[in-house]
Amino acid sequence: MKIFLDSTNIEEIREINKLGIIDGITTNPSLIAKSGKGFNQILKSICKEVKGPVSAEVTAESFENMLSEAKILSKISKNIVIKLPLTFNGLKACKHLTKKNYKTNVTLCFTVPQAILAAKAGATYISPFIGRLDDIGQNGVNLIRDIKKVFSNYTNFKTKILAASVRSIEHVTEVAKAGADISTIPPKIFHQLYKHELTDKGLKIFLEDWEKSKQKI
Ligand code: G3P
């Protein structure tokens, strides 16, 4: 499974990217607004830091304006992926941009039929929002499982499943078990992934024992 960071915080992205295991970045209009910086500046610095795909979302609702915004966003860097909402116009724009060789990420997916339509429109990625389904009493991970099952029934569906709205360690575990191609993870959750109290406890014991042994490496 690939790991993307779901963030516009360049300092946090830079720090985690030092590990060399981050495959890409996702952003959305809310995260751009939260960064307090201009979208151009923030996306440019992210694309300079991370060589993998960086999703940048259109905010237009009409087909024509989505295409104009896609053109502007794609000029920021060659690793920009155009993020489009799962609407009638978003699907139409996805099909159009796919024909022109743009990479696309169809976002705000909450059902299997929505994912099928995005795949039919040639989306590079489909983003099911699992945490937001959990918020309304449904099971977000089940959606990933179902989309995976349906996509595997048809060899012509090449769209990658990008689990989004990931809120916990358990979400990361479960979407990996369900076969998500990518999980996009907020930095705060990422830093929880490598931690375990027994790791800390075990390390403390090892170091104390080593100290007692009076040896050196
Ligand atoms: O990847 C989508 C994400 O940014 C939305 O997450 O937690 O606002 O549902 P959340």
Side-chain angles (χ1 to χ4, degrees), residues 99-118:
K99 274 198 205 137
K100 295 200 173 300
N101 289 325
Y102 283 74
K103 298 260 185 290
T104 56
N105 175 359
V106 177
T107 189
L108 291 166
C109 169
F110 295 97
T111 67
V112 172
Q114 285 184 320
I116 292 173
L117 295 184

Side-chain angles (χ1 to χ4, degrees), residues 11-43:
E11 288 78 26
E12 288 181 332
I13 292 172
R14 245 182 226 133
E15 181 57 24
I16 296 172
N17 199 33
K18 286 179 187 154
L19 285 173
I21 61 170
I22 297 305
D23 301 295
I25 303 288
T26 51
T27 71
N28 62 40
S30 306
L31 289 172
I32 298 268
K34 203 172 139 196
S35 79
K37 294 178 186 150
F39 79 91
N40 211 297
Q41 182 202 348
I42 193 74
L43 289 169

Side-chain angles (χ1 to χ4, degrees), residues 103-216:
K103 298 260 185 290
T104 56
N105 175 359
V106 177
T107 189
L108 291 166
C109 169
F110 295 97
T111 67
V112 172
Q114 285 184 320
I116 292 173
L117 295 184
K120 296 280 294 174
T124 315
Y125 306 101
I126 180 69
S127 289
F129 273 35
I130 64 169
R132 293 196 193 180
L133 274 176
D134 292 355
D135 287 345
I136 59 161
Q138 295 187 26
N139 184 322
V141 173
N142 280 349
L143 176 61
I144 300 290
R145 210 169 277 125
D146 290 346
I147 295 173
K148 182 75 184 179
K149 168 84 184 72
V150 169
F151 280 13
S152 68
N153 287 344
Y154 304 99
T155 49
N156 59 333
F157 281 1
K158 306 277 183 238
T159 301
K160 301 283 181 215
I161 304 171
L162 198 171
S165 184
V166 165
R167 310 252 182 89
S168 62
I169 300 177
E170 290 70 31
H171 270 162
V172 178
T173 307
E174 291 306 316
V175 301
K177 280 163 67 183
D181 298 291
I182 305 130
S183 178
T184 189
I185 303 172
K188 196 174 148 215
I189 305 298
F190 182 88
H191 284 295
Q192 292 174 18
L193 299 182
Y194 52 85
K195 289 186 184 145
H196 195 281
E197 59 180 295
L198 291 181
T199 306
D200 296 342
K201 201 173 160 194
L203 180 60
K204 192 169 174 280
I205 295 167
F206 285 157
L207 295 181
E208 283 167 2
D209 289 344
W210 186 247
E211 185 76 15
K212 281 182 219 149
S213 81
K214 308 275 182 232
Q215 299 198 58
K216 277 204 169 14

Side-chain angles (χ1 to χ4, degrees), residues 50-62:
V50 177
K51 298 301 161 214
V54 175
S55 288
E57 190 160 342
V58 301
T59 52
E61 291 184 87
S62 74

